[in-house]
Structures are given as C-alpha cells and as structure tokens.
C-alpha cells in the first residue's frame, strides 16, 4: 500500500467586497483590509497612502482609513 502525499494549496486571503465596507465599522485598517479591497499589494497600498491617494488617519502606529471618505473618493455613495 503506497502512501499518497496530501495536496498542498496556497491559501489566498479573500478580497473584501464594498458591501462589507459600507455595512462595517466607520474605519478600516489600511493593510490588509483596504489594500486588498482595492486590489493593491502591501507596498503599493502604503505608497498610495503616503502620496495622499488613499485618505488615512494615523493613531499611534496604526493607519486607519475612514470608510465614508474612501467610498466618496471611489464614487460609491452607498446607494446600491
């Protein structure tokens, strides 16, 4: 009887939907929440935030994104 190796798959994080943002808390963590929702990698997310392309609030070392400002920036007023 030969033993078979288990199949190893790389787990990818689920990309949050904009409905998750609209119905969730008023701020979200810059990475991974906002970055993944925008389809950006970690470095690109921080670069966009430092360039002012993503609205942020810094509290200590934590960088948060105000959800209403982000939705306005993306043209999504939550009417859906």
């Amino acid at each position: 009887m030969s033993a078979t190796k288990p199949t190893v798959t790389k787990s990818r994080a689920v990309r949050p939907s904009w409905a998750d943002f609209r119905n969730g808390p008023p701020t979200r963590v810059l990475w991974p929440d906002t970055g993944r929702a925008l389809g950006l990698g970690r470095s690109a997310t921080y670069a966009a935030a430092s360039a002012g392309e993503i609205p942020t609030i810094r509290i200590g070392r934590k960088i948060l994104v105000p959800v209403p400002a982000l939705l306005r920036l993306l043209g999504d007023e939550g009417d859906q």
Side-chain angles (χ1 to χ4, degrees), residues 17-51:
S17 71
W18 291 113
D20 294 335
F21 273 70
R22 284 193 298 274
N23 301 326
T27 59
R28 297 298 284 260
V29 177
L30 178 64
W31 179 258
D33 292 350
T34 303
R36 285 202 181 118
L38 294 171
L40 298 174
R42 185 175 189 267
S43 297
T45 301
Y46 282 105
S50 67

Side-chain angles (χ1 to χ4, degrees), residues 4-16:
T4 59
K5 287 186 175 183
T7 304
V8 178
T9 59
K10 199 171 196 177
S11 174
R12 296 193 69 144
V14 175
R15 184 174 173 177

